[in-house]
Amino acid sequence: MADFLSSTVRRSAAVLFTEAIAVAMAVTPLPGTVASAYAAPNQPPEVCGAAQVAGKQFSNGVTPVLFVHGFNSGPAMWTGEAAKVEKSNDKLVELVSRTGSVTSFTFDYRRFSTRWVTNNNIGPRLADTISCLRNRADRKVIVVAHSMGGLATQWAASDRGGRAGRNILTVVTLGTPYKGSWLAECTLNRAFDRGHFRECAEARRVFEECDQIQRRGEKQPATCRGVPSKIARNSKAVEGLANKNSEITSLAPWPSKRGPAVYALAGKAEFGKREKRGEAGLFGRLAVAGIEIGDKVVSVESATNGGRTATVECDTTDPPKDTCFHTMLHRNDTLVRTVAGRIRITIQREETKQSQPRRIDLSRQRITVDGMGPLMFGMSRAQAEKAIREQIPGTPDQPEPYGRPCRDLSIKDGPKGLFLRFSRDELVAIRVSSAASTAISTASGVHRGSTRADLLQTYAPEITTTSVDDSNEELLFEPSAPKFGGRVIQFSVKDGKVDAFAAGNPFFADNLDCSSD
């Protein structure tokens, strides 16, 4: 690759590196605090870790959207005057704050951003902040993260790290170096630069020149503005952000099967109409040289990590207006609309889910002489359906031509082998057949497969044997307290183990079938 680079192109590459590092890796710490949070001017603070309200007033039942900045940045990247989206007077946090029932927050770790994400003031504090917002709002949190902020979120969400994934609804990342940054690689003093030796050597030459100018106390030229110091170039953060290093590879896989949905967005430099591949033009020449520049700091492959990509066309001839450049991604109109749209869809889905009644998982409910979880004996079919939020097809009040007037009805999508026994539209018994799961049990833990000895020990002395043959036995649990209204649980024991049981009115609580639909 390097053989294709003339000295002119190498000088151009150095300009690219200098420009990128000056903006992306300036290391002068910004003043501020990470501990406080505020609700609005002239109002009492609402402390939630390192979160600060950046949108409308925080309230219970409103989804928190947490914005996490990147390396050596701060909340001002989201809220400052320079945060306005291109061709707009709005900032991303303002657009998001107008998206349904949400409140925008910023997470502040600027004083510690030259350290790695496992530092207590970054990943662990982010995990605590997410959990705090989840509890305060009674809603899961949406995270929007830039660059290293995405890696901090990755650690905070994982079971290996902060274990906050259960409190996160969705994560959207912008330019996060999931596989490292080749520009960060160039800041390290390594003998081998993994494919960018000559380019990195040229970048280091610029670093050294700027260091000397600073030591001499001379006025810095434009090419040195923001170039990181030696201390910053050897910081934990830069080492961690370099390509395919152990810090990044040791993070838990992202996204994970049990974790939140992750939408990874990236900047990608496009060739303008006047620039063609191979012609005189910085990006054309670099493309011939085989460098995939991405957002000029992080490659597309690294920033997407198998997720979703937004490709944006950049004004490469005017760097201050180049909003697909790494530190400008949050100002790019295409990416901003993608982020806001994703949040809008997520909120709509969550609100729809919240408005729908939750089904009751009856396999987790215990059977007693009073009923099963929300099901109580004496309910009508309509009342039972409302209690479990599921349909019970059939005609429970239809009398049988012979024997007892009852019907065994199954629950739509309910547990296999579980039947509700109705007589004249009244729930009189619940029956667990030999086809039911062992997860369905009585309040004392007796289930299909429990031994006869365990059954007798559990309910003694209020259990009696009602009938026995060569291999089958009927045992009746009949609590004597008046509050139970004479209701019982009858167990069928086969070959020394519980095979089926039924609870309810003693006239109906047996394992003889009613006619079922």
Side-chain angles (χ1 to χ4, degrees), residues 257-268:
K257 291 182 179 179
R258 296 189 302 171
V262 180
Y263 300 90
L265 307 183
K268 180 179 180 182

Side-chain angles (χ1 to χ4, degrees), residues 71-72 93 100 112 114 128 131 137 191 211 234 236 238 242 261 265 274 321 358 372-373 384 452 503:
F71 170 72
N72 201 64
V93 290
F112 308 96
T114 54
D128 291 343
S131 300
D211 286 344
N234 292 305
K236 287 290 185 181
V238 171
L265 307 183
R274 292 175 294 178
K321 296 181 180 179
R358 297 179 183 177
M372 182 182 189
R452 182 180 186 276

Side-chain angles (χ1 to χ4, degrees), residues 21-37:
I21 294 172
V23 181
M25 296 188 170
V27 297
T28 305
L30 298 174
T33 176
V34 298
S36 65

Side-chain angles (χ1 to χ4, degrees), residues 105-395:
F105 293 83
T106 58
F107 178 78
D108 186 354
Y109 67 97
R110 56 188 144 168
R111 287 173 54 195
F112 308 96
S113 70
T114 54
R115 305 175 190 180
W116 186 235
V117 299
T118 54
N119 181 274
N120 285 337
N121 291 288
I122 305 177
R125 184 146 203 178
L126 177 59
D128 291 343
T129 299
I130 290 170
S131 300
C132 176
L133 291 174
R134 167 69 173 87
N135 293 333
R136 291 288 297 276
D138 195 27
R139 290 287 187 276
K140 288 187 177 182
V141 180
I142 296 174
V143 178
V144 179
H146 175 255
S147 194
M148 193 175 88
L151 300 178
T153 306
Q154 181 177 355
W155 186 92
S158 72
D159 288 341
R160 295 185 203 166
R163 306 178 68 86
R166 63 180 65 87
N167 296 320
I168 301 175
L169 190 59
T170 296
V171 177
V172 183
T173 60
L174 297 166
T176 290
Y178 291 109
K179 298 180 180 179
S181 164
W182 60 276
L183 184 59
E185 182 77 21
C186 291
T187 68
L188 303 176
N189 188 20
R190 292 177 176 174
F192 181 62
D193 292 299
R194 300 175 184 175
H196 300 291
F197 180 80
R198 291 190 179 180
E199 297 92 327
C200 290
E202 186 71 17
R204 291 201 194 97
R205 184 189 63 78
V206 175
F207 295 157
E208 183 59 31
E209 287 179 358
C210 294
D211 286 344
Q212 291 178 5
I213 292 172
Q214 185 176 21
R215 282 195 296 269
R216 293 194 297 265
E218 298 175 1
K219 183 179 179 180
Q220 288 192 340
T223 53
C224 288
R225 291 174 186 169
V227 170
S229 66
K230 284 186 177 180
I231 295 175
R233 295 200 294 270
N234 292 305
S235 69
K236 287 290 185 181
V238 171
E239 185 176 344
L241 292 169
N243 278 327
K244 300 177 181 177
N245 61 81
S246 59
E247 286 83 356
I248 285 181
T249 55
S250 66
L251 295 175
W254 185 257
S256 63
K257 291 182 179 179
R258 296 189 302 171
V262 180
Y263 300 90
L265 307 183
K268 180 179 180 182
E270 291 287 319
F271 297 103
K273 296 179 180 178
R274 292 175 294 178
E275 291 180 320
K276 296 182 180 178
R277 202 175 283 269
E279 290 188 355
L282 177 59
F283 295 106
R285 294 193 182 190
L286 287 178
V288 170
I291 300 175
E292 192 271 278
I293 57 177
D295 62 22
K296 305 179 205 171
V297 174
V298 179
S299 69
V300 172
E301 179 187 4
S302 179
T304 57
N305 195 34
R308 303 189 179 186
T309 308
T311 301
V312 294
E313 187 171 345
C314 309
D315 183 2
T316 59
T317 61
D318 191 354
K321 296 181 180 179
D322 185 359
T323 57
C324 84
F325 179 60
H326 185 71
T327 57
M328 303 271 279
L329 297 177
H330 63 294
R331 297 183 57 192
N332 183 277
D333 181 62
T334 300
L335 293 182
V336 164
R337 283 189 280 109
T338 302
V339 173
R342 174 50 50 192
I343 291 175
R344 184 180 300 108
I345 292 172
T346 300
I347 294 295
Q348 289 173 348
R349 288 178 177 174
E350 189 65 12
E351 288 178 346
T352 300
K353 186 189 301 184
Q354 293 289 338
S355 65
Q356 293 175 343
R358 297 179 183 177
R359 288 180 54 192
I360 301 298
D361 184 359
L362 287 177
S363 65
R364 296 179 179 272
Q365 303 295 328
R366 300 299 183 94
I367 295 176
T368 71
V369 293
D370 291 322
M372 182 182 189
L375 288 169
M376 304 300 292
F377 295 125
M379 281 183 168
S380 67
R381 180 174 64 93
Q383 290 172 329
E385 288 180 329
K386 185 176 181 181
I388 62 175
R389 301 182 177 95
E390 191 55 270
Q391 294 181 353
I392 307 172
T395 52

